[in-house]
Amino acid sequence: VPVPPLAEQQRIVGVLDEAFAGLATAQAHAAQNLQNARALFESHLQSVFTHRGKGWVDTKLEDVCGFQNGFAFKSSTFRETGCPILRISNIQDGEVDTEKLVFFDPKDYRENLDRYRVVERDLLIAMSGATTGKLGFNTEDTVFYLNQRVGKFEPGPKLNKRFLFYFLSTKVEENLRISAGAAQPNLSTEQIKGFILPLPNRAEQDATVTQLDALAAETQRLTRLYEQKQA
């Protein structure tokens, strides 16, 4: 152990104590800024749907959007290769996570599975478990198949899919409360079809989505910045 005189040891300890205190303060500031950036986006998102403009109409989801529940694939037929299946666990952070996929062979089933196909830009929702109400887009140029308890939205021409995504993003906690009566949280197809959307005309939906997309991109940029500062 290299041992300088006691006075020099004390000086070095003082310098290091000050440095570590400064790091702790900087990390706390970065953590607070990260929280503030996310809170700002959430606050604006909520305000879009609570402070509505003129001409917004409460509309039942099933009147402007189709909905497809998943197929009950048998776990005994899961394979390591073949056609990929999307399960609840594959919906993460607003996207489809392909890390833990399972696969199947269509020859193992007599049913026509075409309506359970998930293509690029499809919007999905988790219908069971602790993540009930969680949403995710398929950003992959890959065809997946819906497993049971995962639903797919099929908007008509009067509904912007990303407008629907942003609205439902404000309802995740509420949907979890709605579904929490049973032993396992569960949203039914009927409950989802019965969601009430505050809906402006299509042009205003498109403009709102453009604004929210820009704010979301800036929030993600700030999030990466403050996470790097924390590191």
Side-chain angles (χ1 to χ4, degrees):
V1 179
V3 181
L6 183 59
E8 178 65 2
Q9 294 179 43
Q10 291 170 338
R11 187 192 69 79
I12 293 171
V13 167
V15 169
L16 291 175
D17 282 348
E18 184 177 353
F20 281 117
L23 286 172
T25 300
Q27 187 174 34
H29 287 166
Q32 186 61 54
N33 287 337
L34 178 59
Q35 182 179 343
N36 290 345
R38 290 170 174 165
L40 176 64
F41 178 78
E42 293 299 326
S43 175
H44 182 73
L45 184 60
Q46 290 286 348
S47 72
V48 166
F49 296 103
T50 54
H51 301 95
R52 308 173 190 176
K54 292 182 179 180
W56 288 50
V57 179
D58 285 342
T59 306
K60 189 177 288 188
L61 178 69
E62 66 180 348
D63 292 336
V64 291
C65 183
F67 185 77
Q68 177 63 56
N69 200 345
F71 179 76
F73 289 98
K74 299 175 183 177
S75 59
S76 60
T77 67
F78 288 172
R79 300 169 178 259
E80 294 185 0
T81 60
C83 297
I85 300 172
L86 287 182
R87 299 176 292 173
I88 291 173
S89 59
N90 296 117
I91 302 177
Q92 299 288 341
D93 300 323
E95 295 181 350
V96 166
D97 182 359
T98 59
E99 285 295 315
K100 297 180 180 179
L101 288 173
V102 295
F103 302 84
F104 77 100
D105 185 340
K107 295 178 182 178
D108 292 334
Y109 295 90
R110 296 180 179 179
E111 297 87 348
N112 183 348
L113 301 176
D114 286 349
R115 64 178 173 152
Y116 304 105
R117 288 160 54 95
V118 177
V119 298
E120 190 174 11
R121 292 189 292 276
D122 274 347
L123 176 60
L124 313 175
I125 186 171
M127 299 173 65
S128 294
T131 59
T132 297
K134 187 166 58 174
L135 304 160
F137 276 102
N138 175 24
T139 59
E140 304 285 330
D141 184 19
T142 302
V143 174
F144 302 96
Y145 286 81
L146 281 178
N147 196 32
Q148 60 183 341
R149 311 312 304 149
V150 180
K152 177 179 69 170
F153 295 99
E154 299 172 331
K158 294 183 179 180
L159 180 61
N160 183 307
K161 190 181 296 183
R162 288 197 65 80
F163 185 90
L164 174 63
F165 166 74
Y166 281 124
F167 171 71
L168 293 178
S169 296
T170 69
K171 298 295 181 182
V172 172
E173 291 184 7
E174 180 180 328
N175 290 336
L176 190 55
R177 287 196 302 271
I178 290 172
S179 65
Q184 174 172 276
N186 180 72
L187 274 177
S188 69
T189 299
E190 289 70 28
Q191 285 173 317
I192 293 173
K193 288 182 176 180
F195 286 165
I196 302 298
L197 309 179
L199 211 60
N201 60 50
R202 181 58 191 258
E204 189 170 347
Q205 291 178 48
D206 296 345
T208 300
V209 165
T210 298
Q211 180 192 53
L212 289 173
D213 281 348
L215 186 57
E218 177 63 10
T219 301
Q220 290 172 354
R221 186 189 71 80
L222 291 172
T223 296
R224 290 192 296 269
L225 173 65
Y226 294 129
E227 286 175 343
Q228 288 169 359
K229 286 190 174 184
Q230 280 186 302

